[in-house]
Amino acid sequence: MVYLAPRINKQFLIKWSYLGVLLIGVISYPFLRFFDWVNPLFLIHVIVLSLFFSFTSINYNLLLGTENIKAYNLIQNMQTFIQVVALITLFSGFLEKNISAYILSMYIAYISTFVTSCFFVWKIIKNDKQPYSFRKDIKTMFNYGFLNQLSVLI
């Protein structure tokens, strides 16, 4: 993604990257369920959190690839900070000392960093004037990005 960001239209890149992550998430569910690799009580959480993490990772890498380092660093640190604050709040304020509190803190952190990263990515997409060629750009994306996106989700 970092390699592709300066070379491909950003809206095209984001759209197809998100679609790839969604496809992998949908395909992963039956495999995880069939092979019983994840406790069924947590399976949907694993899938949804993986999707949010992957979408945010796409945004991180676009920010990095367009050399928007301040936004990249802010979001990278924000996720950890929000998760720690949410966990402390849930543990001490609501006396929730169980796995549900940890999962909720992950949702809070992942969704908030995804939304924040979308704000920065929207600015990049809005100002991108780079033309694209569907066939050439899809081929380039598959050659350089497919296996990396697969590894991010799994």
Side-chain angles (χ1 to χ4, degrees), residues 4-45:
L4 295 172
R7 292 166 177 77
I8 294 179
N9 178 278
K10 310 313 178 269
Q11 185 176 2
F12 182 81
L13 184 60
I14 286 284
K15 189 184 311 181
W16 285 97
S17 297
Y18 283 0
L19 186 62
V21 164
L22 277 174
L23 181 64
I24 292 168
V26 168
I27 291 169
S28 297
Y29 180 82
F31 280 102
L32 291 173
R33 188 157 175 101
F34 177 77
F35 291 110
D36 201 29
W37 289 335
V38 177
N39 183 326
L41 294 172
F42 301 115
L43 182 58
I44 195 69
H45 296 298

Side-chain angles (χ1 to χ4, degrees), residues 47-62:
I47 296 292
V48 172
L49 288 168
S50 293
L51 288 172
F52 274 110
F53 182 80
S54 296
F55 291 146
T56 305
S57 180
I58 290 168
N59 291 351
Y60 286 154
N61 287 310
L62 183 65

Side-chain angles (χ1 to χ4, degrees), residues 69-86:
I69 307 302
K70 286 183 182 180
Y72 173 84
N73 287 336
L74 171 73
I75 294 164
Q76 194 77 349
N77 293 318
M78 188 177 132
Q79 182 176 334
T80 304
F81 178 76
I82 290 172
Q83 187 164 358
V84 168
V85 168

Side-chain angles (χ1 to χ4, degrees), residues 1 3-4 139-149:
M1 185 70 139
Y3 175 80
L4 295 172
K139 183 179 178 187
T140 302
M141 285 175 65
F142 272 101
N143 286 340
Y144 293 103
F146 179 73
L147 292 176
N148 183 43
Q149 288 302 322

